[in-house]
Amino acid sequence: MGREFGSAAARWCHLLSDGPVPVITAVCDSNPQMHGWFTEAFPDLSIATTDYRQVLDSAEVDAVYCAVPHHLHQRLYCDVIRAGKHLMGEKPFGIDQEANAAILAALAENPGVFARCSSEFPYFPAVQRMIRGIREGRFGRILEVRAGFHHSSDMDVSKPINWKRVVESCGEYGCLGDLGIHTQHVPFRMGWIPKTVYASLSKIVTSRPDGKGGTAPCLTWDNATLCCTVEHADGYGFPMYLETKRMAPGMTNTWYLEVDGLTESAKFSSRDPKAFYYLVNGGKEQPWCRLDLGYTPAVAGITGSIFEFGFPDAVLQMWAAFLLEMDQGAPPVFGCFTPEETRLSHALQTAALESHRKGSVEPVAV
């Protein structure tokens, strides 16, 4: 993901925006062999190191993108914040609720630091259109919400174990911690905060090759389905289903969002990235309509609307939103996942673990 950001920074001229332009001046990786791609691609880079403190000590660095395994979030994120650097962190913003609380406490102690969490899929044009419709009240009373993130890389049971399959580095959340925020970004921003959750968690592959000729236990959750109840201020509630699956046959990196309303409904899947599906209720027949949106992003670019939008474009849009909000103090259209929203995410995921353990519906302590 560091290289994805580097690629986005290299094509910043694609955007028709007067906001700040990122300049990559430092890179840190514990494996020096990873430095070469950055040093060759970015002439302004002056630091390539295995010691992240060199990055934090540099006066040339204003903001840091910190993409590290979950067990390192608390220490590194807090060090970034205390060094006075703005932060783009990765999911889940702390390996557990205690680590997340420590990161948020560091931010409270350093109010001049701007911090957000990476989540790029809501920047697809069809999702932005859906968000506008929700904000305008076009859906009427919400009947049901479904969001998910599916991929199939773990369907290969011969794939050697890595840090995401180890509890000590990935955390007890398993697939929830790694993928959950992808499913929560739009619902949380729309004010759909779960009051209760019933969780079904699956450990499907319990051991994997260790890469050394033997096997290692694989103890993290592979798949998770959360059945949540959302309550509006008027007392009306609706179900919201959130799915995170590392073992979903046939999927690559598939993100989807579906919203059913009393007056309108809409759905989007990254499997069909330019299609916006919508339904207007009324009359006997209920036909789904498809609209191909093409390149119509939140932050305008040089590409014409007749062309297609893809994952690298979503990454570029997310980073544009981050820098514009950091510079202007307010998101131009749809802001990145906030530290407060990561607190809500941890509350939901902690309740989900308890729900699965007890086989019960659990309150989400928000």
Side-chain angles (χ1 to χ4, degrees):
M1 291 309 297
R3 285 182 289 182
E4 287 287 350
F5 166 60
S7 175
R11 60 191 287 257
W12 209 260
C13 61
H14 186 91
L15 297 174
L16 299 175
S17 168
D18 295 328
V21 178
V23 178
I24 297 179
T25 60
V27 61
C28 176
D29 197 293
S30 57
N31 180 4
Q33 293 182 351
M34 298 299 295
H35 299 166
W37 184 87
F38 289 92
T39 56
E40 292 175 10
F42 300 99
D44 292 307
L45 193 143
S46 58
I47 298 172
T49 181
T50 59
D51 181 0
Y52 74 94
R53 294 188 181 279
Q54 290 187 31
V55 176
L56 302 188
D57 290 341
S58 173
E60 296 182 65
V61 174
D62 301 307
V64 174
Y65 175 36
C66 193
V68 295
H70 305 166
H71 69 293
L72 298 176
H73 286 190
Q74 180 178 346
R75 175 165 62 88
L76 269 66
Y77 289 11
C78 288
D79 284 349
V80 170
I81 294 163
R82 289 167 183 149
K85 310 297 186 185
H86 304 304
L87 170 67
M88 174 68 93
E90 271 293 346
K91 306 164 293 292
F93 226 68
I95 194 170
D96 55 23
Q97 204 167 28
E98 182 180 355
N100 179 255
I103 296 167
L104 268 59
L107 283 168
E109 295 165 2
N110 296 272
V113 171
F114 176 77
R116 292 293 183 265
C117 184
S118 175
S119 171
E120 62 277 340
F121 286 95
Y123 293 95
F124 275 81
V127 186
Q128 288 293 306
R129 176 173 283 228
M130 195 182 305
I131 290 166
R132 288 197 299 273
I134 296 166
R135 286 173 167 170
E136 292 168 0
R138 296 185 56 169
F139 288 75
R141 177 162 284 191
I142 302 300
L143 307 178
E144 188 171 295
V145 173
R146 298 172 295 278
F149 194 99
H150 296 174
H151 67 71
S152 60
S153 65
D154 280 10
M155 292 298 295
D156 179 4
V157 297
S158 66
K159 177 182 175 181
I161 197 167
N162 61 27
W163 69 266
K164 290 185 179 181
R165 283 76 191 159
V166 177
V167 170
E168 288 76 12
S169 53
C170 182
E172 296 287 346
Y173 298 146
C175 62
L176 282 169
D178 195 37
L179 305 175
I181 279 174
H182 283 306
T183 70
Q184 299 155 10
H185 192 167
V186 175
F188 284 6
R189 192 61 55 84
M190 298 300 99
W192 302 334
I193 310 301
K195 298 299 182 184
T196 65
V197 61
Y198 179 80
S200 175
L201 312 181
S202 301
K203 290 180 182 176
I204 300 163
V205 178
T206 56
S207 66
R208 287 189 176 273
D210 63 5
K212 303 174 183 177
T215 60
C218 188
L219 302 178
T220 58
W221 301 108
D222 292 304
N223 289 354
T225 300
L226 307 186
C227 179
C228 307
T229 300
V230 176
E231 293 182 4
H232 279 307
D234 61 1
Y236 170 76
F238 61 86
M240 180 166 70
Y241 302 95
L242 306 177
E243 292 187 332
T244 54
K245 296 183 178 181
R246 288 178 177 150
M247 301 191 72
M251 300 294 185
T252 51
N253 248 29
T254 300
W255 182 95
Y256 71 87
L257 176 65
E258 301 174 356
V259 180
D260 292 341
L262 192 58
T263 55
E264 289 191 20
S265 299
K267 57 186 177 181
F268 169 80
S269 170
S270 60
R271 296 187 80 183
D272 195 0
K274 66 180 180 180
F276 174 67
Y277 289 92
Y278 66 96
L279 182 154
V280 179
N281 296 326
K284 256 185 206 182
E285 296 181 341
Q286 300 285 298
W288 279 98
C289 303
R290 173 190 169 118
L291 178 65
D292 282 0
L293 293 180
Y295 191 91
T296 53
V299 180
I302 62 172
T303 301
S305 60
I306 195 66
F307 298 107
E308 295 181 1
F309 187 96
F311 178 77
D313 298 305
V315 172
L316 179 61
Q317 289 286 312
M318 177 190 72
W319 278 102
F322 175 82
L323 289 178
L324 285 167
E325 185 173 4
M326 185 180 75
D327 182 57
Q328 300 174 4
V333 279
F334 184 82
C336 298
F337 206 74
T338 68
E340 172 60 19
E341 287 167 338
T342 70
R343 185 188 68 79
L344 298 175
S345 177
H346 278 267
L348 172 59
Q349 290 167 182
T350 300
L353 293 180
E354 188 71 1
S355 168
H356 184 80
R357 186 180 70 83
K358 292 181 177 179
S360 60
V361 175
E362 289 294 314
V364 180
V366 298

